[in-house]
Amino acid sequence: MTASRTARERVRAELTKEIADIARRQLATEGAGGLSLRAVAREMGMVSSAIYRYFPSRDDLLTALIIDGYNAIGECVERADAATDRGDHLGRWLAVCHAVRDWALANPHEYALLYGSPVPGYQAPMDTVEAAIRDTVVFGRILSDANEAGALDPPGIAPAPPPSLAEDAALVRSLMPGISDLGVFRAINAWTGLFGWVSFELFGQFNNTLDNRRTAFEHCMLNNAALMGLGIPEAAR
Amino acid sequence: MTASRTARERVRAELTKEIADIARRQLATEGAGGLSLRAVAREMGMVSSAIYRYFPSRDDLLTALIIDGYNAIGECVERADAATDRGDHLGRWLAVCHAVRDWALANPHEYALLYGSPVPGYQAPMDTVEAAIRDTVVFGRILSDANEAGALDPPGIAPAPPPSLAEDAALVRSLMPGISDLGVFRAINAWTGLFGWVSFELFGQFNNTLDNRRTAFEHCMLNNAALMGLGIPEAAR
DNA sequence: AGTCGTCAAGAGCGGTGCTCTCGTTTATTC
DNA sequence: GAATAAACGAGAGCACCGCTCTTGACGACT
């Protein structure tokens, strides 16, 4: 019967989820390198080999955690964007920035897993990219919206990209329709700048300098907004 | 005799260096997580416990590698800067950017060790910070030089930083004397942007987008230069 | 010449990922 | 309802890891 089959599959799904949850908790406290299948099994009251019925290897468990992580930060960014007035493009950009940073500070090990050094010997499968770009999609939509509303003023201290970059720009443009080549690369610069900042802060590169980090971060992201041509509030000029 | 004592200490120093070299080679092929004292010992024809005569723990070996790494990239950046005309501030900035990126591409695992996720359970000792800022020192000097030469035009689409950031700016200013608060944060933004870009490229975040990476990188770093007020060559305007 | 510190070697501890086998339970098929 | 097949937990075992402790040999200094 389907009912009984789903009974078995239901407990399987539940156990799979429980393993992932415990693994995520371990990840949060120990980091990616400290993720131990045996420890997970111990906490579940199972024997270590039984875990392999649910995840064929440690890397597969890692992949599951990575996908979950991308979805978590992606959803977080989506919510932050949705909570901001749709016409306030600068506000949406700042909301996204803070969402990324806040999530990273709240889940440092997961952030490190997603945006830090790749786990040695681990090759992220293609399944991850779909989840991986959820936040980037939001970012692109903000820019497209701003562009459509004519709010992307291009006074442009930014230099024009060389023509040889047109192909690359076209590819990225699928995430931000309507944006010019110049705008695309300003966007890439701002996006990498955002994650560069967060990584620096999280990975201890700002060692003892920079106390007032949230304010400094927001200011720098305003800088990046200015570079992209997203309007600056008059008060800050 | 001092001669015989130094003989002993010389072979000790040699062995220490050989251990570090082998470890670095392993690091380059396996990554930080794959660094194994036993494997190093095996390759040296030693027994694993003998390694502990030279490095009290795996973390201490890691620390040595980290310091070496910071010095390597720092020296690389210093050389790139020194090889550029001292008055060509934009050129020096670009040279530094490419030096960082080229070194990172040539030594991905070492870069990951320095600027990627911190090794779990590993706390970088204070000895590292001195070596860690060698590249940043070069960066600060370029900005100071440009400022002194009056080449830091402040047309400034960049917003002014809030006064509450004055203390933080003052701290960072020790690396770039003479730079204004606004300039300091533009610099931080550009610096984190540089490493954000390199990390994105190296850690696989630019998955299948962006083929023409060197050109795109240089263009983005030109963007950052513009943001800092470092002159843009007329040709690119 | 005798003492003392340094060294390589080995055994061993508790941990890891992963594989294989062995009964048992569950679900499907006849 | 019985037989077959699949899924499952438990356990032993392999090769590896970082690290500790002990032992015996060698070299340096008094």
Side-chain angles (χ1 to χ4, degrees), chain B residues 1 4-5 35-38 42 48-49 52 57-58:
Chain B
M1 269 310 179
S4 47
R5 179 205 280 175
L35 208 178
S36 150
L37 284 185
R38 290 180 118 106
R42 217 176 298 129
S48 70
S49 58
Y52 288 85
S57 81
R58 184 176 173 274

